[in-house]
C-alpha cells in the first residue's frame, strides 16, 4: 500500500536513539562528583514548534544508492485536509489529552517528472473549494480533484483553516 503524508510525518517526527554514549550529561557528571564526564545514550525527536499560515511539505523524492542518487517514484497519498496537532510540541508527551486540531486545507502541489539529470515541473492549484487548475509553462487548464490526488507530489502547500 502507498504511504500517506501522515505516514511520512510519523517517520519524520519519530523518536530516534542516538549512538551509544554520545551525549554528555551535565546532571550525571555533577552527580558523580569525581570530575569524570558522564556520557549516556540519548534520544531525539523533531517536532513542529509553531504551525505557519501556509505549510509547505517537501517530500524526499531522491535517495542515495550505492551508485549515486535515484528518484523515488512511490506515490504518496495527499489528503485534502491535514491535521498537524499530533506533530507539534504542545501535544508532545500529552498522551491522555487529545490535542486541539491544527487544520490545513490543500491549496496546491508541485510535481516533478524526469530524473536526476533533468526534468520538468508542473503545478496544481486550488481555485476555490472544489475546482483546480493545472499549470505547465505557458499552458493551464481546469482539472478534476482526482487528478491532483493521483499526481506524484514533490512539494505540497497547505493553507491553515482558522
Amino acid at each position: 500500500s502507498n504511504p500517506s503524508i501522515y505516514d511520512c510525518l510519523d517517520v519524520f517526527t519519530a523518536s530516534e536513539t542516538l549512538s551509544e554514549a554520545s551525549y554528555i550529561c551535565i546532571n550525571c557528571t555533577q552527580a558523580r562528583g569525581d570530575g569524570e564526564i558522564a556520557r549516556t545514550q540519548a534520544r531525539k525527536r523533531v517536532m513542529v514548534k509553531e504551525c505557519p499560515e501556509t505549510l509547505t511539505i517537501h517530500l524526499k523524492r531522491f535517495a542515495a544508492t550505492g551508485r549515486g542518487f535515484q528518484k523515488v517514484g512511490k506515490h504518496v497519498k495527499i489528503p485534502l485536509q491535514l491535521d498537524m496537532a499530533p506533530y507539534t510540541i504542545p501535544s508532545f508527551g500529552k498522551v491522555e489529552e487529545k490535542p486541539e486540531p491544527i487544520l490545513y486545507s490543500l491549496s496546491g502541489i508541485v510535481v516533478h517528472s524526469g530524473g536526476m539529470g533533468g526534468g520538468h515541473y508542473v503545478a496544481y492549484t486550488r481555485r476555490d473549494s472544489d475546482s483546480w487548475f493545472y499549470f505547465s509553462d505557458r499552458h493551464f487548464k481546469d482539472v478534476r480533484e482526482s487528478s491532483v490526488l493521483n499526481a506524484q507530489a514533490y512539494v505540497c502547500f497547505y493553507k491553515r483553516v482558522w
Side-chain angles (χ1 to χ4, degrees):
S1 147
N2 291 324
S4 70
I5 278 196
Y6 285 111
D7 296 324
C8 296
L9 288 167
D10 288 343
V11 170
F12 183 74
T13 60
S15 184
E16 173 185 353
T17 301
L18 302 177
S19 61
E20 198 169 316
S22 63
Y23 181 75
I24 297 173
C25 176
I26 295 171
N27 291 335
C28 303
T29 300
Q30 290 172 347
R32 285 174 68 165
D34 60 7
E36 288 289 316
I37 294 174
R39 294 182 180 273
T40 186
Q41 192 172 46
R43 298 178 65 77
K44 75 170 188 171
R45 185 172 186 196
V46 176
M47 300 289 287
V48 177
K49 183 176 181 182
E50 290 182 41
C51 289
E53 186 174 327
T54 300
L55 177 68
T56 304
I57 297 178
H58 175 235
L59 298 172
K60 184 178 176 183
R61 286 290 183 193
F62 299 98
T65 66
R67 295 177 284 171
F69 285 91
Q70 180 177 341
K71 186 169 180 184
V72 176
K74 191 163 197 140
H75 178 74
V76 175
K77 293 182 236 170
I78 308 298
L80 291 172
Q81 298 290 318
L82 180 69
D83 182 6
M84 286 297 293
Y87 311 103
T88 61
I89 290 174
S91 70
F92 179 69
K94 296 181 180 177
V95 178
E96 69 281 355
E97 294 179 29
K98 182 162 173 64
E100 286 292 318
I102 302 172
L103 298 177
Y104 284 86
S105 179
L106 184 65
S107 61
I109 66 170
V110 173
V111 176
H112 176 264
S113 59
M116 288 296 301
H120 183 70
Y121 292 92
V122 298
Y124 294 86
T125 60
R126 184 186 296 266
R127 182 170 66 179
D128 52 41
S129 64
D130 61 354
S131 65
W132 289 83
F133 275 123
Y134 165 86
F135 293 92
S136 176
D137 296 334
R138 294 185 210 137
H139 172 74
F140 71 93
K141 64 181 179 180
D142 283 309
V143 293
R144 294 180 181 192
E145 191 173 83
S146 60
S147 297
V148 178
L149 299 177
N150 289 325
Q152 190 175 337
Y154 183 54
V155 181
C156 301
F157 299 93
Y158 284 89
K159 283 294 232 183
R160 182 100 180 244
V161 179
W162 296 99

